[in-house]
Amino acid sequence: METKYKRVLVKLSGEALSGAQGHGIDFDTAAEVCRNIVTCLECGAQIAIVCGAGNFWRGRQGSDMDPVKADQMGMLATNMNAIALSELFRSVGAEAKVLSAVAMPQVCETYTKDLADKYLNEGKIVIFGGGTGCPFFTTDTAAALRAIEIGADIAMIAKNIDGVYDKDPNKYDDAKKFDQITYSEILARKLGVIDLTAASLCMEKNLPV
């Protein structure tokens, strides 16, 4: 089967790995996610992944916490998810490499574009951990940044809703779903489907999501 997109960046929220329990890693749920991704790999797509961390650490949960320290905790949590995913991919017969924006040489390799390109061209799944490596940027922005850096054809964002709405469908029964929407509309409406920094970056570089 020929793929529509050659190189794909997938953003997996932490919640996508936590299953019904809503926290931590549900390994049955996460393994099913990995099997679906491997199906795309077997069709010829090159797959890179950015992990979120909401299953371990959601925002600045300590009201008195230094926001930089809180974001650093989130970066470490994304690496926990990345390492778990790499092991799950191994268990279903695929090789995955973890590249972290935060240097952790005893644990995984440090991200560079060239290293990511090398592994993707070798047919390996590349998992980006550590967010952007800087505080105040979400993993949505990390996904947009990495997708642009590696020349991805598209970024696919795995959330716990089935599309883009004008307001939260989990809270409002009359929420309207969009079949298509421009980045300008997302920014003008301040929709929360991806953060505004990520939307601006994708719009500037014409990256479809």
Side-chain angles (χ1 to χ4, degrees):
M1 181 186 299
E2 186 175 347
T3 60
K4 182 176 181 180
Y5 304 109
K6 177 62 177 175
R7 181 171 285 189
V8 177
L9 187 290
V10 179
K11 160 67 193 303
L12 286 178
S13 69
E15 291 86 347
L17 306 176
S18 64
Q21 62 194 19
H23 58 84
I25 299 172
D26 182 306
F27 283 92
D28 290 337
T29 297
E32 182 61 23
V33 170
C34 290
R35 281 190 286 269
N36 288 330
I37 290 172
V38 169
T39 298
C40 299
L41 186 73
E42 290 171 343
C43 290
Q46 296 178 349
I47 307 291
I49 297 169
V50 166
C51 292
N55 53 327
F56 288 120
W57 183 250
R58 170 56 64 188
R60 297 175 188 115
Q61 291 162 297
S63 59
D64 296 326
M65 180 174 284
D66 181 333
V68 173
K69 300 299 183 185
D71 283 357
Q72 288 171 342
M73 290 179 67
M75 293 176 210
L76 296 178
T78 67
N79 276 337
M80 292 171 63
N81 282 334
I83 292 165
L85 275 175
S86 70
E87 282 298 289
L88 284 164
F89 278 119
R90 181 182 60 79
S91 74
V92 298
E95 187 175 358
K97 295 288 188 177
V98 176
L99 301 181
S100 174
V102 179
M104 304 175 67
Q106 294 89 348
V107 176
C108 58
E109 295 175 277
T110 303
Y111 166 76
T112 68
K113 175 189 180 298
D114 289 345
L115 195 54
D117 274 334
K118 175 180 180 291
Y119 288 143
L120 288 167
N121 288 329
E122 290 173 353
K124 298 177 176 68
I125 295 166
V126 174
I127 307 171
F128 298 120
T132 66
C134 299
F136 306 112
F137 293 97
T138 70
T139 49
D140 282 350
T141 298
L145 178 63
R146 295 290 179 255
I148 292 163
E149 286 179 314
I150 66 172
D153 300 311
I154 192 168
M156 296 185 174
I157 312 295
K159 299 268 187 178
N160 59 356
I161 56 174
D162 65 347
V164 181
Y165 289 81
D166 62 347
K167 50 191 169 183
D168 189 343
N170 295 316
K171 296 180 180 178
Y172 302 98
D173 292 335
D174 61 343
K176 175 189 173 185
K177 183 179 178 181
F178 298 98
D179 294 324
Q180 289 186 325
I181 189 168
T182 66
Y183 291 120
S184 296
E185 290 176 281
I186 288 174
L187 292 166
R189 291 171 176 264
K190 296 184 179 180
L191 299 180
V193 64
I194 58 175
D195 74 70
L196 300 184
T197 304
S200 297
L201 186 57
C202 292
M203 181 171 67
E204 180 184 347
K205 298 302 182 182
N206 199 29
L207 175 71
V209 170

